[in-house]
């Protein structure tokens, strides 16, 4: 099986989901190990070397000033060029904002099959089988696609292990990208958050606050706790609606779906919409004064206490633990 991996990057920095996708691609390719990667952007040629050693035999690079900002039409043309050259049986990409916008265009162009946001992927006989959470995580869907034509799969971040493999001898092949600019769609402005923390969708540790935090100023105890363990700060929709946190911090069905190794919910009761976005976290710690709060039904560890007492104590202990 020939597998092509779309490398998700921001400002030339490769996102961690790319390493998960490459590791999975190497597993799917089997002993044939026919794995390639495609990297699109401006001044990204130097990043191609990072991909060596992750199981790729070749790296297709579309490097051009017109590709500096993500443009789904231009990026689809660039990735499509790599598909035409490599002729893969399977394309793997992250279920990220870029991936979600890019992959449907590739499906339409190549009349491919697609499975999105999967949490497992296996090849068996003439089929590919996958699982994914459905209906806000209330059930797990089992799906299959037949081999024999191009199939595309997006994977949920922080689910698949990332492990280097191979000898790091991937060849780099340039894609002539000067004709990929598409004037029908232009990026007018990019607004960046002030935080230097990892994005919620990629964070391995998240500390979230709910409406019980009480104010934007009180959120500082959530940030202090997160700083103690290098975590990213999240929030419930109620906290965002109340103006305590910004929308880019929102976790849940109408916010971001996260899958960290550790999720600490502070003053979050656990509305179904919130749990839909974080219930797949590896370990969940809930802090709430209400012992009947729904969040405790999915928590691995529950603390029935006032967050203004419990969180500072956790922060203090985290600082001791982290030295």
């Amino acid at each position: 099986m020939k597998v092509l991996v779309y490398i998700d990057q921001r400002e030339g920095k490769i996102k961690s989901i790319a390493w998960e996708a490459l590791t999975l691609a190497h597993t799917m390719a089997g002993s044939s190990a026919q794995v390639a990667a495609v990297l699109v952007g401006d001044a990204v040629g130097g990043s191609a070397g990072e991909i060596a050693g992750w199981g790729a035999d070749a790296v297709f690079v579309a490097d051009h000033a017109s590709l500096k900002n993500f443009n789904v039409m231009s990026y689809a043309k660039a990735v499509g060029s790599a598909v035409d050259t490599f002729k893969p049986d399977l394309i793997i990409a992250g279920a990220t904002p870029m991936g979600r916008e890019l992959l449907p265009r590739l499906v339409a162009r190549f009349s491919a099959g697609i499975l999105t946001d999967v949490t497992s992927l296996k090849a068996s006989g003439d089929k590919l089988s996958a699982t994914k959470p459905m209906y806000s995580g209330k059930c797990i869907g089992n799906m299959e696609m037949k081999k024999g034509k191009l199939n595309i799969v997006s994977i949920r971040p922080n689910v698949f292990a990332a492990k280097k493999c191979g000898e790091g001898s991937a060849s780099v092949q340039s894609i002539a990208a000067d004709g990929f600019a598409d004037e029908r769609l232009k990026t007018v402005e990019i607004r960046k958050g002030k935080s230097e923390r990892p994005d919620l969708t990629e964070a391995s540790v998240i500390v979230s606050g709910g409406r019980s935090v009480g104010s934007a100023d009180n959120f500082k105890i959530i940030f202090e706790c997160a700083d103690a363990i290098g975590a990213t700060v999240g929030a419930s929709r109620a906290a965002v609606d109340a103006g305590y946190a910004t929308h880019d911090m929102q976790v849940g069905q109408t916010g971001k779906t996260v899958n960290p190794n550790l999720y600490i919910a502070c003053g979050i009761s656990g509305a179904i919409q919130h749990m839909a976005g974080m219930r797949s976290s590896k370990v969940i710690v809930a802090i709430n004064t209400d012992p009947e709060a729904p969040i405790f039904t999915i928590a691995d560890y529950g603390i029935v206490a006032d967050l203004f007492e419990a969180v500072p104590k956790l922060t203090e202990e985290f600082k001791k633990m982290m030295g």
Side-chain angles (χ1 to χ4, degrees):
M1 181 185 294
K2 299 177 69 175
V3 186
L4 178 68
V5 175
Y6 170 69
I7 304 297
D8 209 328
Q9 59 84 21
R10 303 289 191 284
E11 298 181 340
K13 183 178 180 181
I14 296 175
K15 309 300 283 185
S16 59
I17 184 63
W19 311 133
E20 297 178 47
L22 281 166
T23 304
L24 176 61
H26 195 266
T27 300
M28 297 301 297
S31 58
S32 61
Q34 297 185 73
V35 177
V38 55
L39 178 63
V40 184
D42 176 37
V44 295
S47 299
E50 295 184 53
I51 300 172
W54 287 88
D57 299 307
V59 181
F60 296 94
V61 180
D63 193 335
H64 195 269
S66 65
L67 301 172
K68 180 177 181 179
N69 296 320
F70 178 76
N71 179 315
V72 66
M73 296 179 179
S74 300
Y75 273 50
K77 290 179 182 178
V79 177
S81 180
V83 173
D84 289 333
T85 301
F86 186 63
K87 294 182 174 23
D89 303 297
L90 175 66
I91 297 174
I92 298 178
T96 63
M98 283 187 181
R100 290 188 178 97
E101 191 170 5
L102 174 68
L103 297 186
R105 292 186 177 273
L106 297 177
V107 170
R109 174 175 173 177
F110 295 101
S111 298
I114 186 170
L115 293 176
T116 61
D117 198 29
V118 306
T119 53
S120 73
L121 181 66
K122 296 180 180 179
S124 178
D126 64 344
K127 295 179 180 179
L128 294 175
S129 59
T131 60
K132 64 173 292 183
M134 300 177 69
Y135 300 107
S136 301
K138 294 178 182 177
C139 64
I140 300 296
N142 297 309
M143 293 156 291
E144 292 182 341
M145 291 193 299
K146 288 187 177 181
K147 296 180 183 178
K149 70 170 186 176
L150 177 62
N151 287 311
I152 299 176
V153 173
S154 68
I155 62 174
R156 178 171 291 195
N158 290 335
V159 171
F160 296 87
K163 183 180 180 180
K164 281 192 172 184
C165 52
E167 302 298 328
S169 57
S171 63
V172 178
Q173 301 181 36
S174 296
I175 299 174
D178 54 347
F180 291 146
D182 197 311
E183 296 299 320
R184 292 175 295 172
L185 181 65
K186 295 182 180 180
T187 301
V188 177
E189 180 184 10
I190 296 178
R191 297 183 181 182
K192 298 181 180 180
K194 297 179 180 179
S195 177
E196 296 298 325
R197 293 178 172 87
D199 184 82
L200 280 169
T201 58
E202 296 185 336
S204 59
V205 182
I206 297 174
V207 182
S208 285
R211 182 166 47 191
S212 298
V213 175
S215 70
D217 186 59
N218 286 345
F219 243 83
K220 65 183 180 182
I221 70 169
I222 305 297
F223 280 96
E224 289 171 358
C225 183
D227 288 339
I229 51 177
T232 297
V233 177
S236 67
R237 176 173 179 172
V240 173
D241 288 347
Y244 306 160
T246 56
H247 185 266
D248 63 312
M249 297 167 59
Q250 184 174 320
V251 174
Q253 195 168 27
T254 54
K256 296 181 179 180
T257 298
V258 300
N259 189 48
N261 294 323
L262 173 62
Y263 188 89
I264 303 177
C266 307
I268 297 175
S269 62
I272 187 63
Q273 292 87 353
H274 183 78
M275 292 195 290
M278 46 67 70
R279 69 188 309 147
S280 60
S281 303
K282 308 297 188 301
V283 176
I284 299 172
V285 177
I287 303 171
N288 202 291
T289 55
D290 180 8
E292 301 299 322
I295 191 71
F296 287 126
T297 63
I298 64 169
D300 297 282
Y301 301 94
I303 303 174
V304 180
D306 188 323
L307 70 91
F308 293 102
E309 296 179 3
V311 174
K313 290 181 180 179
L314 274 180
T315 302
E316 184 179 343
E317 293 301 317
F318 284 152
K319 288 180 178 179
K320 293 179 182 177
M321 179 182 68
M322 303 299 287

